[in-house]
Every structure is written in structure tokens, then in C-alpha cells.
Amino acid sequence: MISRARKVKSRPIVLLLCVFALAARAQGSLPGAQSLTLAGDPSAQMVAGIDRFLDRQTELAATERGRFWKRDLSSADALEKSTAPNRERLRTIIGAVDPRLPVRALEFTGDTATPAKLADAPGYEVFAVRWPVFDGVWGEGLFLRPKGNAVAGIVAIPDADQTPELLAGLVPGLPPENQIARRLAERGCRVLVPVLVSRDVTWSGIPGKPASLPHREWIYRQAYEVGRHVIGYEVQKIFAAVDWLVAQGGPVGVSGYGEGGLIALHAAALDPRIGATLVSGYFDSRQRLWSEPIDRNVVSLLREFGDAEIATLIAPRALLVEHSAMPRVEGSPAPAPGRRNIAAPGRIATPELAVVRSEFERARALVGEKLRGGFLLVEAGALAAPFSERAQTALLIALGVPVPIAAKSPPAPAVLGAVDGAERQRRQVKQLEEHTQRLVRASEAKRQERFWTPIKATNAAAWSEARPRLKQQLWEDVLGKFPPASLPANPRARRVGETDAFVTHEVVLDVWPDVFAWGLLLVPKNLAPGERRPVVVCQHGLEGLPADCVTQDPTTRAFQYYKGFAATLAERGFITFAPHNPYRGGDAFRVLQRKANPLGRSLFSVILAQHERILDWLSALPFVDPARIGFYGLSYGGKTAMRVPALLDRYCLSICSADFNEWVRKNAATDYPSSYLFTGEYEIFEWDLGHTFNYAEMAALIAPRPFMVERGHRDGVGTDEWVSYEFAKVRRFYTRLGVADRAEIEYFDGPHTINGQGTFEFLHRHLNWPKPAVTSAAPRR
């Protein structure tokens, strides 16, 4: 139980503070606060300010990347060794970490209706093939096998919305001279052409429950939660293809266009067996990564890598960058009839040549004159098709095959059959889906191994000593941590409301340039001179406002959810503060998450700094007991209740309402009833949370402070069974620490709303504040 504040010993100081506080209240302001003159919509201004702040952080990150690198440019071997840590970090953040199966042979895929051999040409044959990657996951595509001795092995990677058949010249759509797989096979190369997960929506979802998401986003969402990524999965498929090509002998190269260019660049950066790489329609600074399709969102990428830095991991091997027309992507694809669009917005547009050239020259400068000889920029043009003759010739020369591409291509291969492309795409999507779902199901065992098993503490004092390392992991490695506030708080306030029981003040506090905290402070009128009372910070949910927690008008939509709980608690004698969290404005706030993620940060990185500033200010108020500041949040505010008090110890307790869950499954499991895989909250996914912190682990970081869950039986955010399953771990841990009375859950027969009965009792008990003689018991209904 949190004890009452000790009595102030110095009576003159108490009297002086009381006089100051009473005078301030008479003037309608607060102690130490200037007059607030803010106009307009503070919520929109907050989101816009954070947006500008993140833009500056993105620019700053580009200038500070050097601190992550220790390149030794004295030799090729020295460069490779000195950049090994960077290579491993890149491998980790794209999720290319699963052990691969050996590839002993390519498997022909065909049957009596569709033979594996699809085409025949004078110098080569075309087969439908697959090769193993992980258990149950296969690379799949076309193999162009020369009829004579092969001079090299090439993996030619199409864009996500192209088929292998297009690059092989088996279907129309690409000029013959740009059909790179066909042209290289005509020159004696073994060519593997994998199919990528596409941007179509056909196979996203599960039977009876489709999801209007591009296939790439469908895989991205669930994989991100367990430290994997659609990029990493496809890079691994290229690695497996390279395994087989290397075993055949001869030099090995990769080429890719669009999304295939992305995969080729990353694969070559991580695999020194790849002797030469051609990247077409993909090379940029990545400073606007947030605006690209979300399946390109890579955590922490921009702290350490732009495309130039990734390119340096290829040096001194050959890298050929072709400036060509990129695949055009304008937002998310239109959903099928009757299906709601839930996909993240994102676009791909061809950058100006000057932008590509600048990033390419930056890469050359980073590796120095001695080691950049294999770097070549091919200026095909912003309207040019990929894989120009010059680019193909340069690739062959870089591999030691000095055979120019013929000016005129031989006749197209005779097509003997066709692969069912839709079925092939279904297999690619569903194999990665099932692989990821196995990781989701196994993640609990990983958390047990990494979090729970090492804990030796058997009492609250011992746990308090052990917590800091795990707190650091959650804050720095999962949520992301910005430096502390850089501006003085400069509190500004104005009186905005009054009832018989309390006065409401609107408050603004500075955090960083353009970033501020904002909320409503409710101060009971019956404060005695010198009295310091407990505070309950009352947090709204998604698209909410501070006023939603205060209004007691039963006709409002806000009242349906919040029941005016901040006002009701103020009527019970608590000081309450309803802060604004910046998850309001639809895509406007979700873009903040997109901008924060590549910096290794998240929306909660900003929210945590705002709450640190709020706690500083509340603790300094003369009528607040800083040892008795509790947190109570609904819905998205419940998400805050799990993360912020876990890291900010000055919150002496936390109540999570209408959000507590088996959180990892809710985010990433295809069979969870209310999974975020099927909703529009594309910002919700947190990198590798499945292997680090579910809600039980977050609650453990709140321990030994009191923690409570408020759960309505009819709340669709989860099911009682899974909520109970996760909470049982919390109660068991509190019992182990000898503080079982500090962990509670209340079930009530209601929906997604504040109930305000058991939770109010909890607040009175643990904040050591007496219940009113005449109860304003629960929120009005």
C-alpha cells in the first residue's frame, strides 16, 4: 500500500505555499504557471509538432550514422571484417535469422497435366522448379538451364507484381531486350527466377475471414511481431538459391528490379558469395521510407543504413545500380467488393536521377577510391524499362564473363506449358503465413526462456533490484528511447471549467521543440491548507481527447466509454489529470509510427517523454503528493497503462481497462478472434515483441507496485479465456514476490467501457485516500 505523504515540518513554508496556491486559484491559474493562450485544436497541433520533430530526427540520424561504423579501407578483407557487426545488425533487423535447410537439388514441379518443362529454346530449357528454404517454406519459380556448359549462375529477381515468366520471355509485357533471364540464358548462364510475394490481396486472410491487405503487408504484420520480415524471408530464399548455384560451380550474381532490386541489394550485402549485383528501379536515400509501402518498414534502419551504407557492405564486389522507371504504387490496392480497406497507405515513385546519383556517389565515397572500382551507375532513364543492354553486359563482365549481349535476340523460346500463377502465389503466401504462425505459437516458450526462467527474485525488494536491466530492454530495444526533454516545462494554464466539487484547468507543458504535453487538471475545491493529495492520471483511448474522460453528459458518445471517470474520481477527492496522447487523427498519427520505427523508436517513445514531463510538473505542485500518483487508462489508454508505468516508476500503480490481453496473439495470430491482422490499426505492431514482452512481462515490470485489470465480459477486444490466461501469470508472479494483494482483476457484465467499481476501491485502498461518506460510487450510467 502506498503510504500517505509525511507531514511537512516547516510551518512557515507550508503557510507561504498555501497563500500562493489560494491566490493562484482565485486568479484561475495554477502555481508556477503562466497564462495559457493556445488557440485552435491542440490535438492536431500536437500531432503536427511531433511530425516535424520526427522529420528533424530523421535528418539528424543521417548525419550521425558514422558512429555505428568502423570501416577499415586498407584492404578488401579488412573492410569485410570491420563491417561484420553492421552486416549482422542488418541481418537481424530484416529478420533473415532462421536457419535454412540444405539445398541438394532443385525440384521440378509438375504433373501429368502440367509438365515441369515449360519452354524450349535453341540454347536452353525452362523448367518450373522449387527449392527448400525452411521447414514447409520453399523458394519457387523458373530455372533456365543452358544446354551446354554454364558460364555463371544468376538469380534474376522480378518485382513483386511481375512474374518469373515475364523475365524469361514466356509472356508478353517486357521488351525482348529487357527480358534479362532469357538474355542471360542465351549467353550460357544458369538462371533462377524466383517469384516474390505480390501486392495483390487475393490470399490475405484465412478461410471465412479475408483481409483487404496486400500479400506483402499480410506477411509483414504478423512477422514483425516475432522479429521477422517479408524482406528477410525473401532474402533467405535468395540465399537458398545461391547455396545451390555455388554448389554447381562458377561465379554467382544476382539481379533485381523494384522489390526484386531491394531483395538483391540486401542479399548481396549479407552474402559475400554473390560476386556481382545489378539493382534496377530501387536505389534512394530512404529518407522518406515512411511514405513507402509498409512492408518496407524496417526497425532502426535509418539510424545505421541508407541505401549507400547497405551498398558499402557489398564493396569491393561489383554493384551495378540502374536508374530506371520504378514500379508505380499509389496507395493500397482497392479491396474486393464488400471488403473494407484496412491496408496502410504507401507509394513508390521514381526518384530523379540526381537523387539516385547523390546516394550512389555517397556509397562510393564511403568505401574509398581503392575499393569502389566495382561500383557503376547505369543511367537508363526515369522512363526506361529495367535491365538495359548496358546493365546486362556490365553484370556479365563483372562476373568474368566478357560476352556482350547480342544486338538482336534469338527467337523467343517455344512455350510448352504454363504454371498456374495464382496457385503458385497462394503457396508462397500461405507457406510464409504458416511459418510465421509457428513462430507466434512458439514465442511464449521463448519468453519463458529469456524472461521468466532467469528471474531469481522471490521478494519485492530483490525484484526491484533486478528490474532495471529488463526495463532497459523494453524501453531501448523494443519501444525505443529518445533523450530526455530538452526544454524547460514552462507550464501554461487556464481555468476552463468549474463544478460544485472541482475546478478544471487546461495545461500545456513543453518537452522538445514542437513537442508538448497537454491535458486537463481537475482540482477538488475542498483541499485543506498544506494538504497534499493523491493524483489519478486518467488516460483516454484511440481518437480520444482529455475532455472525453471528464464529461458527465450521458448523451455524448464519450460518456458511453469513459463514464466521466476523471470527474467522478475528482468528486471523490482525488486530484485527476487527463493528458492527451497523440493517437488521434487517423493516418496523421499513424504516420508518426512510420517515421519513428526506422529510427528505432515508436509512438510510445514520444508518449513516455511527455509523461515524464507530466510527472515532473505534477510532483512539483504544492497540493500533490508525488508518492501517490496512479495511472488508469482505457483502451489505447490501457496500452499506455501497460507500457508507461512499466518504465516510469513514479507512477505508483497502474490500472489497465479494456485492453489487457494475450497481446502477442491479438497482434499476430490469424486465429485470434479480434486480431489486429484484420483491422486498420497498421501502427500497432511492435518489433519482436513476441520474443520479449507480452502483457504479463510488462506487468511484471510494474511489480511490486499495485496493478489491476478491468475486464468487461462483452468487450470485443479479447476473450475472457485469453485475458485470464495472461493475467494468471501476473498473479502468480505477484504471489511469488509476496504481494499477491497488489494484483487484481475485476470482471463485469459490460462492454468496452470504464466500470469504476472494483477499480475505484483499488484506488482508494492503494492511494490511501478515504472513500467519501456519501458515495458517488461508480460513474454515472
Side-chain angles (χ1 to χ4, degrees), residues 98-103 131-135 137-139 233 236-237 240:
D98 292 312
R100 296 191 307 280
L101 297 174
V103 185
W131 57 97
V133 184
F134 317 129
D135 184 23
V137 176
W138 298 78
Y233 284 155
Q236 291 270 59
K237 291 184 179 184

Side-chain angles (χ1 to χ4, degrees), residues 408-611:
K408 291 186 178 180
S409 180
V415 177
L416 306 176
V419 170
D420 184 339
E423 177 59 22
R424 179 176 61 193
Q425 182 64 210
R426 186 197 67 80
R427 289 193 294 270
Q428 292 295 290
V429 172
K430 293 306 172 182
Q431 287 171 12
L432 290 178
E433 176 188 309
E434 180 50 36
H435 177 75
T436 306
Q437 291 304 303
R438 284 195 295 269
L439 292 171
V440 171
R441 292 189 291 270
S443 66
E444 183 174 19
K446 285 292 184 183
R447 294 193 303 275
Q448 178 67 39
E449 173 189 334
R450 296 174 180 180
F451 186 95
W452 297 107
T453 299
I455 293 175
K456 307 302 179 187
T458 56
N459 58 65
W463 177 235
S464 294
E465 292 179 7
R467 285 172 59 242
R469 177 184 62 82
L470 294 166
K471 283 176 54 181
Q472 181 181 15
Q473 182 187 5
L474 176 61
W475 202 339
E476 297 185 4
D477 299 344
V478 179
L479 300 179
K481 186 175 185 179
F482 278 121
S486 61
L487 296 177
N490 185 27
R492 285 91 74 202
R494 62 188 168 204
R495 187 167 175 158
V496 294
E498 182 175 2
T499 71
D500 292 342
F502 57 84
V503 175
T504 302
H505 304 266
E506 183 179 16
V507 181
V508 172
L509 309 167
D510 290 333
V511 181
W512 300 299
D514 284 325
V515 180
F516 59 89
W518 164 60
L520 297 177
L521 181 73
L522 280 60
V523 182
K525 289 182 172 180
N526 61 354
L527 277 168
E531 182 182 17
R532 289 179 178 266
R533 287 199 186 177
V535 178
V536 181
V537 173
C538 301
Q539 190 64 65
H540 65 77
L542 182 65
E543 299 293 341
L545 290 167
D548 294 342
C549 300
V550 177
T551 181
Q552 293 179 302
D553 181 352
T555 66
T556 62
R557 180 175 174 82
F559 187 82
Q560 297 175 29
Y561 299 108
Y562 300 102
K563 302 296 190 296
F565 75 120
T568 304
L569 287 168
E571 291 169 346
R572 285 170 163 255
F574 294 100
I575 297 165
T576 63
F577 183 66
H580 187 55
N581 275 1
Y583 34 70
R584 182 171 180 266
D587 286 338
F589 93 77
R590 292 189 166 97
V591 163
L592 303 181
Q593 185 84 319
R594 291 292 315 274
K595 290 186 175 184
N597 280 174
L599 302 174
R601 311 292 199 274
S602 68
L603 192 59
F604 276 104
S605 305
V606 177
I607 290 170
L608 279 155
Q610 291 173 313
H611 277 262

Side-chain angles (χ1 to χ4, degrees), residues 613-636:
R613 178 45 43 93
I614 289 166
L615 285 164
D616 291 342
W617 170 72
L618 285 173
S619 298
L621 291 174
F623 45 80
V624 166
D625 181 353
R628 292 187 289 165
I629 303 177
F631 191 96
Y632 187 174
L634 174 85
S635 194
Y636 227 117

